[in-house]
């Protein structure tokens, strides 16, 4: 009797152990998603894909700012992600052993401009997920109210006249004088500098000075750049100071502000402007008590005071690229390629891209009327096609790793709080860049 | 019955042994091995000798800074936690009214996870500091004392329970004898109670010391090292090295091995010292 009980228990143990180890079947595609803001939309994509093809898309989304470590641990597992995302050339450099050549894929043949892909030595290793743009988002209802004021101190009559840092700065200063009449707490939303929430400044805003520096040094488009002079630091400071000094929040309190705080201030009409990109639309639209009408949301380029910036447009680029795991089994790889071509070329897939994900897809399967429906996406699209305006590419994909960015972000915060000088920030930027690219 | 159990003891031990090997022994050995290599994922690693250890210590000052910050934090919190926990335990063994309620109340914070506590205290401390027009990231000393308060709040209840158990084990006759001999309260505490609760002191200092030294979640959630990296403790520095920079995984691993050696050394020394003070009854 005892023996029977013993062996039964043993059997139960073994069976439950084996069950715990079972793997997904061969019709399941494991996709590790980079963008938390797209997580909900990808769930819908997965449902639609299952409905239409019977294949399962398993989407796992890494929490904000933790993609690299999630990928690192997931890819060494027995059932690794087959479809994953790279953040530019730097991402490719750390993951090149895992990136399959996508030159012969259907999706690559539809890419509208081959320069948008990550290509290295004849091979194509990353295909752009979407083109995105960022700049200063402003609420036209508030600026219109300002331009209607009789006692305003600037001669500009509409936002169309704001085409340089000088003009922007004069406008913002005068708007601050009239903030009670405009019903705002400050012109700019909080400069969110909490650690992990500071990417709008250590990455996106820093793109501007570094872009102009790379243009001067004629090294635009290269990777593995092991030093910067940060020669446009004072121009960066121009706009950053403007954000700090004309904001809803005291600069000393910025260390606990998150991006979501800034976006809700904008959505609730407490400020007129906020620096962000077209992906932020859902963060504006979904806030309860949102007072901003979608037709009032417009973009302004990031003017920092560089000569000739009247022709400058938004910063447009690709943050994430699709890559297929080279070390996954061939049938799984095929599954990934099939999914990508379904998503970007089939009618249902395309609808999901424009309606749910809100991506501006750089593929020739999309016609002009298939541009995203949200106002920010539309704005980016129209700025990209504006006559005589150059777009600023995203050079931040060659910035060193997260440690560099965190240190710059921490420096910016301490500068805002007054415990570090601007020269300290410059030093951090230049020195940490050198150290991290050693 | 006895004999057949003895025959099968390894079978009963096996599940635990397997779990221990999979989740502890194998990663531990692999981890030490990886600290001598350069790697992105654990399967492909390239041997680089002691380079990672050199980078960890000499490469930049982060690790050393984090070490000193951790030491300061550990000293302050071990002393304050044990002192406060012992005082609480003394009061709560006097048979006062509501003793059970207070014991439960003080123990409760220990049941909440470190990340949650970190965020809760961040809100509280920022709320208070907002009155002065600053926040937790303004000055490293705010972060330091914030961590100390948080750690005290979390650990005192647990340590108090251990001290309560120790105090209740002391035979009441000893106290009576002492008072007949004319000892006052302080003398009783110093010469009777303290030597007899030394075993509890050993356990408590060990727990607080190793927990403070290894602290991660509370640090991650409360300050995340801000301002800059000034409130970054060792565990957080290792985490940031490993995940924050491209190609630095091996250095992070080397730091982790050094961290392990440090923690074990400190714990062993501490155990030896407090053990030698335990009185035999």
């Amino acid at each position: 009797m005892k023996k029977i009980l013993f062996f039964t228990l043993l059997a139960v143990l073994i069976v439950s152990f084996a069950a715990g180890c079972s793997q997904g079947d061969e019709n399941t595609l494991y996709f590790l998603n980079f963008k938390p803001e797209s997580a909900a939309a990808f769930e819908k994509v997965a449902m639609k894909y299952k409905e239409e093809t019977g294949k399962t898309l398993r989407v796992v989304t890494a929490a904000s700012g933790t993609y690299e470590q999630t990928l690192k641990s997931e890819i060494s597992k027995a059932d690794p992600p087959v479809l994953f995302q790279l953040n530019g050339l730097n991402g490719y450099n750390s993951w090149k052993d895992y990136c399959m050549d996508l030159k012969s894929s259907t999706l690559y043949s539809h890419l509208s401009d081959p320069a948008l892909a990550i290509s290295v030595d004849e091979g194509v290793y990353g295909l752009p997920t979407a083109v995105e743009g960022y700049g200063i988002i402003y609420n036209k209802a508030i600026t219109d109210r300002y331009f209607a004021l009789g006692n305003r101190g600037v001669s500009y009559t509409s936002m169309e006249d704001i085409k340089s840092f000088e003009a922007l700065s004069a406008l913002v200063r005068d708007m601050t004088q009239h903030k009670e009449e405009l019903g705002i707490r400050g012109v700019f939303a909080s400069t969110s500098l909490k650690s992990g929430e500071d990417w709008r400044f250590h990455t996106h805003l820093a793109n501007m000075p570094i872009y102009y520096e790379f243009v001067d040094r004629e090294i635009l488009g290269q990777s593995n750049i092991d030093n910067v002079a940060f020669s446009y630091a004072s121009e960066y400071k121009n706009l950053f100071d403007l954000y700090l000094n004309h904001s809803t929040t005291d600069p000393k309190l910025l260390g606990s502000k998150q991006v979501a705080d800034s976006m809700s201030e904008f959505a609730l009409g407490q400020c007129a402007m906020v620096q962000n990109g077209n992906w932020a639309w859902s963060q504006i639209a979904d806030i309860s008590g949102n007072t901003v009408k979608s037709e009032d949301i417009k973009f302004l380029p990031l003017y920092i005071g560089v000569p000739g910036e009247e022709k400058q447009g938004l910063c447009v680029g690709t943050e994430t690229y699709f890559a297929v795991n080279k070390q996954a089994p061939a049938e799984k790889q095929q599954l990934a390629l099939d999914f990508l071509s379904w998503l970007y070329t089939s009618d249902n897939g395309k609808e999901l891209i424009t309606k749910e994900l809100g991506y501006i897809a750089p593929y020739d399967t999309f016609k002009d009327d298939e541009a995203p429906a949200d106002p920010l996406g539309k704005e980016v699209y129209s700025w990209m096609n504006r006559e005589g305006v150059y777009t600023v590419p995203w050079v931040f994909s060659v910035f060193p790793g997260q440690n560099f960015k965190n240190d710059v972000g921490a420096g910016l915060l301490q500068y805002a709080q007054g415990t570090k000088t601007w020269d300290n920030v410059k030093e951090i930027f230049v020195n940490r860049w050198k150290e991290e690219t050693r | 019955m006895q004999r057949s159990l003895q025959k099968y003891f390894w079978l009963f031990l096996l599940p635990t042994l397997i779990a221990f090997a999979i989740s502890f022994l194998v990663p531990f050995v692999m981890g030490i091995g990886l600290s001598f290599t350069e790697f992105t994922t654990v399967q492909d690693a390239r041997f680089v000798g002691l380079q990672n250890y050199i980078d960890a210590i000499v490469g930049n000052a982060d690790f050393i800074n984090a070490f000193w910050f951790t030491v300061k934090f550990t000293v302050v919190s071990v002393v304050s936690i044990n002192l406060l926990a012992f005082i609480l335990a003394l009061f709560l063994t006097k048979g006062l009214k509501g003793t059970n309620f207070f014991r439960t109340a003080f123990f409760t914070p220990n049941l909440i996870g470190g990340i949650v506590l970190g965020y809760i205290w961040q809100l509280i401390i920022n709320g208070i500091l907002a009155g002065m027009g600053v926040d937790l990231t303004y000055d490293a000393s705010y972060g330091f004392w914030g961590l100390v308060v948080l750690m005290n709040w979390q650990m005192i209840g647990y340590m108090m329970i251990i001290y309560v158990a120790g105090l209740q084990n002391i035979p009441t006759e000893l106290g009576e004898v002492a008072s007949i001999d004319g000892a006052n309260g302080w003398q009783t505490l110093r010469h009777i109670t303290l030597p007899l609760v030394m075993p509890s002191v050993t356990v408590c200092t060990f727990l607080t010391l190793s927990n403070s030294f290894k602290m991660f979640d509370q640090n991650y959630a409360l300050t995340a090292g801000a301002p800059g990296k000034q409130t970054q403790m060792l565990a957080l520095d290792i985490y940031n090295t490993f995940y924050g920079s491209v190609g630095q995984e091996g250095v992070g691993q080397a730091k982790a091995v050094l961290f392990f050696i440090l923690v074990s050394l400190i714990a062993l020394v501490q155990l030896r010292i407090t053990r030698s003070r335990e009185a035999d009854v």
Side-chain angles (χ1 to χ4, degrees):
Chain A
M1 185 58 210
K2 285 258 155 71
K3 242 181 191 159
I4 295 170
L5 186 69
F6 171 77
F7 282 108
T8 330
L9 284 175
L10 192 70
V12 168
L13 188 79
I14 290 167
V15 169
S16 58
F17 190 68
C21 298
S22 70
Q23 301 291 336
D25 64 287
E26 60 270 25
N27 269 331
T28 303
L29 173 64
Y30 179 4
F31 166 46
L32 191 65
N33 170 30
F34 184 91
K35 281 185 166 287
E37 61 270 29
S38 299
F42 267 117
E43 292 301 326
K44 284 184 192 150
V45 170
M47 261 161 57
K48 192 87 193 166
Y49 191 56
K50 175 102 190 169
E51 214 172 87
E52 202 160 302
T53 61
K55 288 170 189 158
T56 312
L57 176 71
R58 183 156 81 89
V59 187
V60 174
T61 303
S64 174
T66 63
Y67 192 75
E68 286 293 304
Q69 58 252 48
T70 312
L71 184 56
K72 233 172 242 180
S73 52
E74 287 296 301
I75 212 154
S76 16
K77 289 184 179 168
D79 184 21
V82 183
L83 188 61
F84 62 99
Q85 288 172 315
L86 298 170
N87 58 342
L89 268 173
N90 271 13
Y92 169 74
N93 281 334
S94 39
W95 291 105
K96 54 183 161 215
D97 295 343
Y98 292 89
C99 294
M100 181 184 152
D101 189 354
L102 300 170
K103 192 156 200 153
S104 54
S105 66
T106 328
L107 191 58
Y108 180 65
S109 66
H110 288 293
L111 189 62
S112 54
D113 177 5
L116 287 170
I118 298 182
S119 320
V120 179
D121 308 328
E122 303 291 303
V124 176
Y125 299 99
L127 295 175
T129 310
V131 270
E132 296 170 305
Y134 64 85
I136 296 171
I137 303 173
Y138 66 90
N139 184 345
K140 195 162 171 291
I142 296 175
T143 55
D144 281 351
R145 214 179 302 152
Y146 169 75
F147 287 119
L149 292 178
N151 58 345
R152 65 176 200 276
V154 294
S155 54
Y156 309 111
T157 53
S158 81
M159 288 306 277
E160 297 299 314
D161 299 338
I162 310 298
K163 284 187 180 305
S164 67
F165 173 73
E166 210 190 335
L168 177 67
S169 152
L171 172 81
V172 169
R173 273 168 223 276
D174 199 50
M175 278 179 82
T176 306
Q177 297 295 317
H178 296 282
K179 65 182 181 186
E180 273 80 33
E181 298 156 64
L182 297 172
I184 52 174
R185 281 168 43 206
V187 177
F188 286 107
S190 311
T191 307
S192 63
L193 286 172
K194 184 185 161 112
S195 168
E197 301 281 339
D198 43 4
W199 44 266
R200 289 188 293 150
F201 310 100
H202 65 48
T203 305
H204 288 173
L205 187 55
N207 186 67
M208 302 302 303
I210 299 303
Y211 163 72
Y212 285 110
E213 181 178 336
F214 284 3
V215 170
D216 287 354
R217 288 166 62 187
E218 298 179 349
I219 50 172
L220 200 63
Q222 293 177 19
S223 64
N224 294 326
I225 290 156
D226 61 3
N227 71 87
V228 286
F230 203 15
S231 44
Y232 286 91
S234 64
E235 282 78 6
Y236 178 98
K237 183 171 177 284
N238 278 343
L239 191 52
F240 189 67
D241 279 350
L242 200 65
Y243 288 165
L244 293 181
N245 298 330
H246 301 89
S247 137
T248 54
T249 309
D250 184 323
K252 282 200 171 68
L253 292 174
L254 293 174
S256 46
K257 287 290 174 191
Q258 307 183 14
V259 180
D261 296 324
S262 314
M263 295 322 291
S264 72
E265 288 165 14
F266 182 79
L268 299 176
Q270 296 171 350
C271 63
M273 300 180 186
V274 60
Q275 181 203 312
N276 215 335
N278 57 295
W279 56 84
W281 167 240
S282 65
Q283 272 177 302
I284 299 171
D286 295 348
I287 283 170
S288 66
N290 170 29
T291 59
V292 187
K293 292 197 193 69
S294 64
E295 67 268 22
D296 286 335
I297 295 188
K298 301 286 173 201
F299 260 121
L300 195 67
L302 296 169
Y303 296 121
I304 58 171
V306 173
E309 66 184 355
E310 294 76 23
K311 292 196 177 110
Q312 181 189 297
L314 302 181
C315 298
V316 176
T318 300
E319 188 187 19
T320 55
Y321 298 81
F322 279 118
V324 176
N325 188 347
K326 188 160 81 177
Q327 305 192 5
E331 58 273 19
K332 289 263 182 185
Q333 291 172 344
Q334 193 52 47
L335 218 54
L337 296 175
D338 289 348
F339 168 71
L340 285 181
S341 74
W342 175 81
L343 188 61
Y344 284 92
T345 61
S346 79
D347 286 341
N348 281 331
K350 274 158 57 183
E351 197 181 314
L352 287 165
I353 292 271
T354 51
K355 299 253 165 68
E356 293 296 338
L357 290 159
Y359 288 169
I360 307 166
Y363 296 96
D364 60 15
T365 49
F366 289 81
K367 295 179 195 68
D368 276 355
D369 56 342
E370 288 173 317
D374 72 89
L376 289 177
K378 271 189 198 140
E379 271 282 293
V380 172
Y381 198 75
S382 87
W383 269 98
M384 279 167 72
N385 298 315
R386 212 169 272 203
E387 205 62 32
V389 166
Y390 65 95
T391 58
V392 177
W394 290 12
V395 295
F396 62 71
S397 64
V398 304
F399 282 20
Q402 195 62 36
N403 256 352
F404 162 79
K405 294 176 180 173
N406 288 347
D407 291 351
V408 172
L412 288 173
L413 172 60
Q414 284 171 295
Y415 167 71
Q417 292 169 331
T419 53
K420 271 204 164 99
T421 64
W422 183 250
D423 284 336
N424 293 142
V425 177
K426 255 168 83 175
E427 242 168 63
I428 295 175
F429 201 99
V430 173
N431 293 344
R432 294 293 292 138
W433 184 300
K434 206 177 289 166
E435 281 168 26
E436 288 287 315
T437 48
R438 244 186 335 196
Chain B
M1 183 64 206
Q2 184 79 22
R3 285 184 60 86
S4 71
L5 259 183
Q6 268 170 0
K7 218 165 73 190
Y8 285 116
F9 84 95
W10 56 270
L11 244 179
F12 287 98
L13 211 57
L14 200 62
T16 320
L17 216 59
I18 292 173
F20 184 68
I22 290 175
S23 61
F24 185 80
L25 279 183
V26 175
F28 183 72
V29 174
M30 268 175 85
I32 291 179
L34 284 170
S35 71
F36 297 100
T37 63
E38 206 185 291
F39 65 98
T40 304
T41 58
V42 293
Q43 285 100 343
D44 49 346
R46 194 167 57 82
F47 187 75
V48 292
L50 285 172
Q51 191 54 43
N52 287 336
Y53 287 88
I54 297 167
D55 284 348
I57 298 168
V58 194
N60 62 40
D62 289 351
F63 191 65
I64 306 292
N65 290 345
F67 173 75
W68 287 116
F69 184 81
T70 311
V71 168
K72 272 192 280 180
F73 170 78
T74 308
V75 170
V76 173
S77 54
V78 165
V79 171
S80 60
I81 291 172
N82 283 291
L83 209 63
L84 291 169
F86 187 73
I87 293 171
L88 276 181
L90 275 181
F91 278 110
L92 295 180
T93 46
K94 292 250 190 278
L96 301 172
K97 214 173 159 203
T99 295
N100 276 334
F101 171 76
F102 281 108
R103 281 187 194 171
T104 319
F106 285 122
F107 187 72
T108 314
N110 192 62
L111 304 174
I112 309 172
I115 290 277
V116 181
L117 277 187
Y119 284 119
I120 292 173
W121 276 93
Q122 191 184 47
L123 288 176
I124 298 174
I125 296 172
N126 276 338
I128 296 167
L129 289 177
M132 296 157 58
V134 291
D135 68 9
L136 200 52
T137 58
Y138 184 68
D139 191 324
S141 67
Y142 297 157
F144 178 81
W145 290 108
L147 284 169
V148 171
V149 170
L150 164 54
M151 194 65 176
N152 271 279
W153 194 71
Q154 187 179 20
M155 297 281 288
I156 281 177
Y158 191 17
M159 298 307 133
M160 176 201 74
I161 296 290
I162 299 175
Y163 282 125
V164 165
L167 287 169
Q168 282 173 337
N169 270 338
I170 300 173
T172 44
E173 298 85 18
L174 289 175
E176 285 163 18
V177 169
S179 68
I180 290 166
D181 285 347
N184 62 23
W186 171 248
Q187 283 167 327
T188 319
L189 179 71
R190 176 69 190 81
H191 296 288
I192 310 276
T193 315
L194 263 184
L196 288 173
V197 290
M198 258 344 252
S200 307
V201 176
T202 308
V203 174
C204 288
T205 39
F206 175 75
L207 284 175
T208 43
L209 188 76
S210 60
N211 278 340
S212 309
F213 211 82
K214 293 189 299 187
M215 191 167 86
F216 175 77
D217 359 4
Q218 292 89 336
N219 188 204
Y220 181 79
L222 189 73
T223 68
K229 287 177 174 169
Q230 293 176 42
T231 62
Q232 183 169 263
M233 293 176 65
L234 282 173
L236 187 60
D237 178 51
I238 293 169
Y239 172 85
N240 284 338
T241 314
F242 196 95
Y243 290 120
S245 342
V246 178
Q248 293 278 298
E249 292 86 352
V251 180
Q253 197 60 44
K255 286 182 178 180
V257 172
L258 291 174
F259 182 57
F260 164 76
I261 296 170
L262 271 173
V263 174
S264 1
L265 268 183
I266 291 170
L268 284 176
V269 169
Q270 179 267 333
L271 273 182
R272 178 150 284 193
I273 293 171
T274 42
R275 274 268 163 78
S276 67
R277 286 167 185 262
E278 285 176 19
D280 292 312
V281 185

